[in-house]
Amino acid sequence: MPRSVDHGESIRLDNLDKYGHSGSPNGVMTAQGDSQTGIHKRSVYEHNGVAVCSQKRALFIATIVLSILFLVSLIIAYAGPQSDCPCAGEMPSNLDEEGGYSGTRNVIPIATNNEIFPWNSLRLPVFAKPSRYHINIHPNLTTLDVKGQVTIDFQVDKESTFIVLHSRNLTITDKMLTDRKTRLPITRLLEYPPAQQIYIEVKEKFRKKVNYTLVLRFTSRLSHELEGFYLSSYTTAEGEKRYLATTHFEPTYARTAFPCFDEPQFKARFKMSIFRDRFHISLFNMPIINTEDAGFYMGTGLLRDDFQESVEMSTYLVAFVVCDYKHISSQTAKGISVSVYAPPDLIPQARFALDTATSMMDHYEEFFGVDYPLPKQDLIAIPDFGVGAMENWGLITYRETSILYDANETSAAAHQWVAVVVAHELAHQWFGNLVTMRWWNDLWLNEGFASFLEYFGVDHVMPGWNMMEQFVLDKTQEGLSLDALTNSHPISVGVHDPTEIEAIFDTISYNKGAALLYMLEKFLGQDSLRSGLNDYLNTHKFGNADTKDLWAVLSKHANQSIQVKSIMDTWTRQMGFPLVSISKEGNTVSASQTRFLLTPNPQKQNLSHPPSPFNYKWYLPLSYFTDLNPEEEEIVWMNMTDVKFEVANDVEWLKANVNQSGFYRVTYDDEMWSAIIAAMRRNHTIFSPADRASLLDDAFTLCRAGLLNVTTALELSLYLLKERDYVPWATALQHFQAWSKYLAEAAPYRLFLQYMKHLLGPVAHSLGWEDTGTHLQKLMSSDILVSAVLRDVEEAVKDAKQHYKEWMTKNVRVPPNLREVVYSAGIKYGGVKEWQYCWAKYNTTRIPSERKLLLKVLSVASDPWILQRYLLATLDRDMVRPQDVKLVIANVASNPEGRLLAWRHLRAHWTALQGLFGNGTFTMGSLISSVTSHFATEYDYKEVSTFFRRLNVGSGVRALDQSLETIQLNIYWVRRNEEPLFQWLTNYLSR
């Protein structure tokens, strides 16, 4: 946010110079090549002085140390309760203080009072089960102090002298334990920060089936990071800064707000009491039932809100907010109250989300056949929010751009985004909240289902948007892209510590999970899927389930005619996917399956690494149609085998994986590729838009893998001169933009940009400058014209620059779906004055989607000086909110003029960025990917690997490995294709 909204236009680029030499603002230390962890390790292992002692003394000291170590090992082996560990997995010995892994030292678990911490597992013991929490909490939004008390009712399944629960960054000030009758003395309370656990020991054993109550008082501080219980702020239309306290607990941050059993299988009921000022309101998962004066001892002017007790739910779904928002409300057909909360002047932008949520709730209740179990559903806009939204049961939190929509100001793409995110989070109210995965290794059960149902739900509410056509573009293709790397992971993957858990909130869990469910729906049938989901939800409601529970129910509803578990295990328990190779001889078609892998050297690839329980074979529904009957879809099952089937003798070609509904790629023999390309260039409409997108996606990706000549992909792309549909063009543009990045330092670069201009010219001309048409036409118009402007298509650039000039000098309104085009032209082909005008608009607009768009287009400047100062602005949270930092850096990195600046910025300010986001969040991994994965030279690879080799990147480890693998792919792709690409482009463009 700007420091002064009223003077947004007075903010000068030159003001950013103050960060150029003295580090980041707000007292945040900038990086000098070391992470905080690296600095800490140096302080442990490096010393300025040199200690010298005699040989006898050294021998004596060594003997004493070895004796102590032996004694300690005996204590650990026999004294603690760890031999009774009923949970899976022990705490790795190399866990560091942040809950991550340290490869430099072994750790004996030592509590904060220097006693040995008796519990040695990252997982909590399962014999203690909470049934109810009562939380009292008072966040002071002035001092940022938090005072709280949690009362936990629990029982134990076996006799024990101890319980273990989670706590992180909380100071426990008082404790009490009772059996509902008498107070029981606590003999020890130990804290072990590396595992984020506390250990409570009693003299007499806890007895089975006895009701116990633990009361803990604690203090903490509101966090400035976007996790746990944290502080956020917004600026009113009058320029006044207002504060709110809000929560984000998924996956392991509830323990930072109150002591708890912070694992998803420990479901319990929650009661809440929140102390607040009179000018604030408070919100919780459940409705408020009583408000009264807090009493003199809490301070004057405070009120206490008491909330209705919740249903049984996991700790990560608890949410509470203290703010001064207003709201609008509606009701579902069954009388559930639905409300949207936002800052008062943004309430008019909340109407679309409210209407969509109300309709979607009715649709989901009818589709699942399971009633929504809470009395209300609140949706709230949070100014500072790390992810798109969070599905807290009954109180869903959203980033402002994910919930607020202005029909006169918001583009079709941003409009769709709001609908999709609302649908996603509401789907979670059943999948994730009502039925929750037992452990995070089955995260995909939550996120895959919600990512599938979001498109399914919006398609029902907005049938004209063709959402399932877009599903292929946004889910299937995204999932296929990442899952082709050797550093991918199975969709159901073992995770243990918070860092590992954060790392799997990725494209595999979300998009591959969704794509597999889409494929499942196609071969199972929607009726069987629907009845199975109804059974699954009713069987496991208010409880936990895992993947095999879902497969068992779906098999039952397919009348056991399809063994769902056997089929789907090959997709969830091994990473990757198959490449189906099609060849035809006479009337016999042969289809073989092998693992598809993007690898720098196709001749030396190891398709069996890492080992798979199914040896990288899949149960695969191969769908296809032929040129003789394009309307009739056939299916042949490949049961972890190759297959042969017959077609008519005069079939010229067949198109496999109809509408890209299966999660696999297809290649054809040379003769069939030629026939398909000829058919596409002759009359592309015999293929559906999704099939055309599928052919483009497969061809360009096979070329990237070295399995198809670059000239074949280019010959196919020539049909785009006649293409006028959104999904095929969006697919093509993704591949073209990737190629332009890889080729940035290669000989064919300029020729390839010229070829892109050649393809874009006709379609850009046909679209024109009227913001009209269907939803998909508006999406396409924006994408095509933006690409045309950035690739210097003269006609598009001329028109867009003129629109920008009229907007800047005469305040002529630009239609929402043309704004990215117009703003991009003004910034790219303008100078400081044009950039400054957009920066001022960013600081003054009250439309969240407009702010996001302006942040994006500000990064397309051609002047490196401007881009450098823009990057420096990300170090000041008053200029660029922390949640938007990645957006800015990633877009500067995608700008040819800014890619090296972004990489330098990431290195120079790594420590500041790490402090901003924390090592445990997936933001750091996505930053690494967005800044480095387009590099394509050996020098760049060496620079990236050398820089990160000595840093602890936390949950970004997998993203770093994937980025390094991608850089190697880029290097080999350019090396392999530079010459033939140059020759083909030279020949074609000289015609």
Side-chain angles (χ1 to χ4, degrees):
M1 280 287 182
R3 290 187 177 86
S4 172
V5 169
D6 293 334
H7 303 288
E9 295 190 26
S10 68
I11 298 175
R12 302 297 301 171
L13 280 168
D14 310 62
N15 292 345
L16 301 180
D17 283 335
K18 64 182 177 180
Y19 309 126
H21 305 289
S22 59
S24 63
N26 301 334
V28 179
M29 183 179 69
T30 58
Q32 301 299 324
D34 288 300
S35 70
Q36 291 169 323
T37 304
I39 293 169
H40 170 71
K41 287 177 181 175
R42 282 221 308 260
S43 69
V44 172
Y45 294 117
E46 296 180 10
H47 305 278
N48 294 324
V50 178
V52 180
C53 65
S54 69
Q55 185 175 1
K56 286 184 178 180
R57 177 175 289 183
L59 186 61
F60 176 75
I61 291 171
T63 303
I64 294 296
V65 168
L66 288 172
S67 301
I68 292 171
L69 286 175
F70 179 72
L71 181 63
V72 166
S73 67
L74 289 176
I75 292 172
I76 293 172
Y78 296 108
Q82 58 265 46
S83 61
D84 295 326
C85 175
C87 62
E90 292 187 343
M91 182 181 70
S93 61
N94 58 342
L95 191 74
D96 70 22
E97 287 84 353
E98 297 298 323
Y101 285 100
S102 164
T104 59
R105 58 198 172 96
N106 293 322
V107 175
I108 296 172
I110 302 296
T112 51
N113 66 349
N114 291 322
E115 290 185 39
I116 292 174
F117 192 79
W119 185 252
N120 70 344
S121 173
L122 280 170
R123 298 287 300 274
L124 298 182
V126 297
F127 59 76
K129 290 183 167 59
S131 59
R132 177 177 282 103
Y133 294 79
H134 188 178
I135 305 165
N136 289 267
I137 202 157
H138 173 215
N140 188 317
L141 272 62
T142 303
T143 65
L144 307 189
D145 290 326
V146 178
K147 295 179 181 178
Q149 175 179 295
V150 61
T151 301
I152 308 174
D153 296 339
F154 70 94
Q155 290 187 347
V156 295
D157 287 342
K158 71 166 193 174
E159 292 189 351
S160 171
T161 58
F162 71 96
I163 59 170
V164 182
L165 61 158
H166 288 112
S167 175
R168 181 184 176 194
N169 296 335
L170 302 175
T171 301
I172 295 173
T173 58
D174 201 2
K175 58 189 180 295
M176 183 176 72
L177 179 68
T178 72
D179 61 3
R180 307 282 179 91
K181 298 175 183 177
T182 58
R183 185 165 178 168
L184 306 176
I186 295 174
T187 56
R188 282 201 299 174
L189 189 151
L190 302 177
E191 298 184 54
Y192 183 48
Q196 304 170 8
Q197 293 173 347
I198 55 177
Y199 172 94
I200 295 173
E201 189 174 274
V202 292
K203 186 174 183 180
E204 295 183 8
K205 286 184 177 182
F206 292 110
R207 301 184 307 280
K208 291 193 294 183
K209 305 306 178 184
V210 174
N211 294 316
Y212 293 98
T213 299
L214 173 67
V215 182
L216 296 172
R217 288 184 181 171
F218 58 91
T219 61
S220 64
R221 300 270 295 170
L222 286 173
S223 172
H224 284 286
E225 296 179 3
L226 308 181
E227 57 198 30
F229 194 21
Y230 69 93
L231 188 73
S232 181
S233 66
Y234 72 96
T235 305
T236 67
E238 294 75 31
E240 181 186 355
K241 196 167 189 177
R242 302 275 182 87
Y243 292 93
L244 59 146
T246 186
T247 58
H248 180 78
F249 290 160
E250 188 182 36
T252 58
Y253 297 112
R255 64 192 69 172
T256 68
F258 57 95
C260 56
F261 295 82
D262 198 13
E263 293 182 7
Q265 79 269 26
F266 292 118
K267 288 195 168 186
R269 295 176 177 269
F270 290 82
K271 290 184 71 175
M272 190 80 198
S273 296
I274 299 177
F275 296 89
R276 60 170 175 88
D277 293 316
R278 294 180 184 275
F279 52 83
H280 283 132
I281 62 169
S282 66
L283 299 169
F284 176 58
N285 303 79
M286 300 295 287
I288 195 167
I289 54 174
N290 181 55
T291 297
E292 58 184 44
D293 285 322
F296 179 76
Y297 71 96
M298 287 297 295
T300 58
L302 284 184
L303 300 176
R304 188 190 74 227
D305 292 331
D306 298 321
F307 293 87
Q308 184 178 329
E309 186 175 82
S310 77
V311 297
E312 291 173 316
M313 63 182 184
S314 301
T315 49
Y316 79 89
L317 295 170
V318 174
F320 39 92
V321 180
V322 177
C323 62
D324 64 350
Y325 282 6
K326 303 297 182 185
H327 71 280
I328 53 175
S329 298
S330 182
Q331 277 196 344
T332 68
K334 293 188 177 180
I336 302 297
S337 172
V338 181
S339 301
V340 179
Y341 288 79
D345 67 307
L346 299 183
I347 280 292
Q349 298 179 50
R351 174 57 60 181
F352 173 72
L354 179 65
D355 293 343
T356 302
T358 306
S359 298
M360 204 73 70
M361 292 274 288
D362 288 333
H363 170 61
Y364 283 150
E365 281 195 319
E366 190 271 333
F367 181 79
F368 295 135
V370 179
D371 289 345
Y372 178 74
L374 305 188
K376 61 97 172 176
Q377 179 66 77
D378 293 339
L379 298 79
I380 183 168
I382 304 297
D384 300 282
F385 203 69
V387 294
M390 176 60 207
E391 66 266 20
N392 317 297
W393 213 351
L395 179 57
I396 306 175
T397 44
Y398 290 83
R399 192 180 284 204
E400 288 180 337
T401 51
S402 301
I403 192 173
L404 301 177
Y405 164 74
D406 186 317
N408 296 317
E409 304 291 335
T410 304
S411 68
H415 187 191
Q416 179 175 302
W417 176 247
V418 172
V420 164
V421 179
V422 168
H424 181 101
E425 304 310 325
L426 288 175
H428 272 310
Q429 307 304 296
W430 285 264
F431 280 92
N433 299 8
L434 184 65
V435 180
T436 310
M437 76 260 142
R438 194 164 278 112
W439 179 242
W440 296 104
N441 61 295
D442 278 328
L443 172 69
W444 86 274
L445 274 179
N446 280 17
E447 299 302 346
F449 258 107
S451 298
F452 168 63
L453 291 166
E454 71 188 33
Y455 276 60
F456 181 78
V458 175
D459 198 49
H460 175 82
V461 176
M462 298 288 188
W465 285 9
N466 293 68
M467 292 304 296
M468 298 317 292
E469 197 173 292
Q470 295 184 65
F471 181 93
V472 169
L473 177 68
D474 298 334
K475 304 298 181 187
T476 307
Q477 291 180 11
E478 290 285 327
L480 289 168
S481 178
L482 183 60
D483 205 28
L485 299 177
T486 58
N487 281 295
S488 182
H489 64 83
I491 201 167
S492 188
V493 59
V495 289
H496 305 93
D497 68 272
T499 300
E500 287 183 343
I501 294 167
E502 287 275 3
I504 62 168
F505 282 79
D506 64 359
T507 298
I508 300 300
S509 297
Y510 284 72
N511 295 2
K512 181 179 180 180
L516 293 184
L517 291 167
Y518 184 44
M519 180 173 70
L520 177 67
E521 187 228 5
K522 289 297 181 185
F523 70 75
L524 203 59
Q526 190 175 110
D527 289 343
S528 294
L529 178 66
R530 183 175 178 176
S531 60
L533 296 183
N534 172 268
D535 192 351
Y536 172 79
L537 291 170
N538 276 304
T539 300
H540 299 285
K541 62 184 176 183
F542 304 114
N544 299 88
D546 52 31
T547 300
K548 67 177 183 293
D549 296 320
L550 176 65
W551 299 155
V553 169
L554 292 177
S555 292
K556 183 176 78 173
H557 285 266
N559 296 319
Q560 305 297 339
S561 61
I562 298 177
Q563 294 301 312
V564 176
K565 183 179 187 300
S566 298
I567 295 169
M568 297 306 293
D569 275 356
T570 64
W571 295 95
T572 62
R573 292 179 55 204
Q574 62 183 349
M575 68 186 196
F577 56 88
L579 169 66
V580 177
S581 300
I582 304 283
S583 61
K584 178 176 172 288
E585 188 171 338
N587 66 341
T588 300
V589 175
S590 299
S592 61
Q593 61 165 296
T594 55
R595 179 188 181 190
F596 180 79
L597 201 59
L598 287 171
T599 181
N601 192 336
Q603 281 71 46
K604 295 183 180 179
Q605 65 183 358
N606 182 356
L607 297 178
S608 300
H609 182 78
S612 157
F614 305 101
N615 199 29
Y616 294 104
K617 295 293 181 181
W618 288 263
Y619 285 96
L620 188 156
L622 179 66
S623 59
Y624 70 93
F625 63 85
T626 70
D627 59 310
L628 296 184
N629 197 351
E631 304 298 323
E632 186 173 331
E633 179 181 339
E634 304 281 353
I635 293 182
V636 176
W637 275 92
M638 303 177 71
N639 298 324
M640 299 180 67
T641 59
D642 302 338
V643 295
K644 292 186 177 182
F645 55 93
E646 293 187 351
V647 295
N649 274 323
D650 50 349
V651 163
E652 287 189 25
W653 53 261
L654 62 84
K655 164 64 176 71
N657 197 5
V658 178
N659 291 324
Q660 208 168 9
S661 57
F663 197 76
Y664 54 90
R665 293 202 179 278
V666 183
T667 190
Y668 307 89
D669 58 35
D670 291 343
E671 188 177 341
M672 198 174 295
W673 266 120
S674 297
I676 289 172
I677 291 170
M680 285 275 279
R681 291 170 65 175
R682 187 168 55 247
N683 177 18
H684 62 276
T685 61
I686 61 174
F687 301 92
S688 69
D691 274 324
R692 303 198 297 270
S694 168
L695 286 166
L696 286 165
D697 191 42
D698 281 347
F700 275 82
T701 308
L702 288 164
C703 169
R704 181 153 168 72
L707 302 175
L708 190 68
N709 289 332
V710 68
T711 54
T712 304
L714 289 168
E715 290 288 344
L716 174 62
S717 71
L718 285 171
Y719 103 90
L720 289 166
L721 290 165
K722 299 177 182 178
E723 179 63 81
R724 297 296 181 268
D725 271 305
Y726 170 64
V727 173
W729 258 115
T731 301
L733 288 174
Q734 285 185 351
H735 288 287
F736 286 158
Q737 288 158 6
W739 279 27
S740 67
K741 291 173 184 176
Y742 312 150
L743 293 168
E745 297 180 38
Y749 179 60
R750 294 291 177 189
L751 289 173
F752 183 69
L753 295 185
Q754 190 178 339
Y755 179 65
M756 284 186 67
K757 287 173 62 176
H758 170 70
L759 293 180
L760 285 165
V763 65
H765 178 76
S766 72
L767 291 169
W769 289 88
E770 295 296 323
D771 189 9
T772 57
T774 66
H775 180 72
L776 285 184
Q777 286 169 340
K778 290 177 180 179
L779 293 177
M780 178 177 173
S781 180
S782 179
D783 275 10
I784 291 292
L785 291 174
V786 168
S787 297
V789 163
L790 296 180
R791 294 294 166 246
D792 199 20
V793 175
E794 289 81 0
E795 181 184 354
V797 171
K798 179 183 175 183
D799 290 342
K801 285 171 66 178
Q802 182 60 33
H803 281 288
Y804 190 92
K805 181 180 179 182
E806 291 174 356
W807 176 58
M808 189 172 82
T809 59
K810 301 177 183 177
N811 201 28
V812 175
R813 179 178 178 272
V814 181
N817 293 295
L818 296 177
R819 289 183 184 178
E820 185 174 356
V821 187
V822 172
Y823 297 174
S824 295
I827 297 294
K828 181 174 175 62
Y829 300 101
V832 171
K833 182 173 68 174
E834 287 76 11
W835 196 96
Q836 197 69 54
Y837 186 76
C838 270
W839 177 252
K841 289 292 184 184
Y842 161 73
N843 282 297
T844 55
T845 183
R846 301 294 298 158
I847 312 296
S849 58
E850 184 79 351
R851 287 175 60 82
K852 182 179 179 181
L853 173 59
L854 287 163
L855 279 178
K856 180 180 179 182
V857 299
L858 285 165
S859 66
V860 304
S862 299
D863 187 341
W865 181 83
I866 292 175
L867 293 173
Q868 174 61 16
R869 272 137 191 83
Y870 189 33
L871 287 169
L872 290 170
T874 63
L875 301 173
D876 185 345
R877 64 171 61 227
D878 289 329
M879 288 187 168
V880 178
R881 288 185 181 274
Q883 66 189 28
D884 296 322
V885 167
K886 188 240 172 183
L887 171 72
V888 173
I889 296 175
N891 279 289
V892 171
S894 68
N895 180 347
E897 303 299 331
R899 66 191 193 99
L900 295 179
L901 291 173
W903 168 229
R904 188 176 70 173
H905 180 82
L906 184 68
R907 286 180 295 165
H909 301 287
W910 176 261
T911 303
L913 292 168
Q914 210 170 30
L916 189 65
F917 297 115
N919 230 13
T921 67
F922 51 81
T923 305
M924 295 307 292
S926 63
L927 262 179
I928 294 169
S929 300
S930 59
V931 171
T932 65
S933 58
H934 57 273
F935 288 152
T937 69
E938 292 282 4
Y939 177 83
D940 291 328
Y941 176 82
K942 184 177 180 182
E943 203 173 46
V944 174
S945 59
T946 300
F947 175 73
F948 285 112
R949 186 178 300 139
R950 53 199 172 92
L951 294 181
N952 174 14
V953 298
S955 60
V957 169
R958 181 176 280 120
L960 173 59
D961 291 341
Q962 290 167 347
S963 297
L964 289 169
E965 184 180 355
T966 301
I967 296 171
Q968 286 186 308
L969 283 168
N970 300 343
I971 294 167
Y972 281 88
W973 183 83
V974 172
R975 187 179 298 167
R976 199 166 51 234
N977 293 293
E978 187 171 13
E979 185 177 341
L981 185 57
F982 186 88
Q983 291 297 331
W984 189 93
L985 290 169
T986 301
N987 293 338
Y988 179 78
L989 293 171
S990 63
R991 292 175 191 171

